[in-house]
Amino acid sequence: RPQKVCLCPFLPAHPLHISTHLYIIQHPAEENKVLRTVPLLAACLPQDKCKVKIGHRFSEERDPELSTVCRKSGTLILYPGAEAANLEEFILDSPVYPSTIIIIDGTWSQAKDIFYKNSLFRHPKQVQLKTGISSQYVIRMQPTNRCLSTLECAAVALSILEKNNYIQETLLRPLQALCSFQLQHGAQIRLSKEHLLKNGLYPKPMPKNKRKLRKMELLMNSVKI
């Protein structure tokens, strides 16, 4: 980036010291997006503690390392499915303290596709974040007001697992700077799809596909989808 919008001053002077291993499972479509949050996340963490795996499909044959990680009792996957436990509550009662967390990076539909079409991701315990914070990634539209970017999810999860709020503050700093720079240079604040639908501001025509239309209706009624 040009020096006047360089994000390096907002990164920690040294990678954060953490004991948790983080695996980012990234949908290939995310790799070419300019304003991604995963590179910022990786720049803040030690290389041996933050690994990015790119692809649609993962198996024991294709990725034996990931397969081994998924089968360990200390591995969690951050996915808000029906069986997901609140992360903060789970670690209080877990006989084995989590050492690894997996986060899927992509749109919600891409993340859902990756989760359900890769049996490996059904081995780790599913957890979710019960947090009242709103996303600061305001330059990219989110489905609902409660959705967080991959970096924000990692920041909250790591601060909980490491019992250190400084981690969340440090990881969010470059994201805040990125959004600030973009807004100063012509970007617009992107309100969530949920907000736009509820207030009659959604710029596109409602879909004719019944499944997509049902999703829109659920968003307007604040129903978790």
Side-chain angles (χ1 to χ4, degrees), residues 66-79:
L66 185 61
S67 175
T68 300
V69 167
C70 286
R71 286 179 166 81
K72 288 184 177 179
S73 59
T75 299
L76 305 177
I77 185 164
L78 189 64
Y79 186 82

Side-chain angles (χ1 to χ4, degrees), residues 20-34:
T20 307
H21 288 81
L22 176 64
Y23 280 80
I24 303 294
I25 307 302
Q26 187 176 82
H27 191 279
E30 285 293 312
E31 193 177 7
N32 296 322
K33 291 181 179 176
V34 177

Side-chain angles (χ1 to χ4, degrees), residues 158-174:
L158 288 174
S159 69
I160 293 172
L161 292 169
E162 299 286 326
K163 299 182 174 65
N164 185 350
N165 290 331
Y166 172 75
I167 291 174
Q168 182 174 332
E169 296 171 8
T170 303
L171 291 179
L172 291 182
R173 197 173 298 129

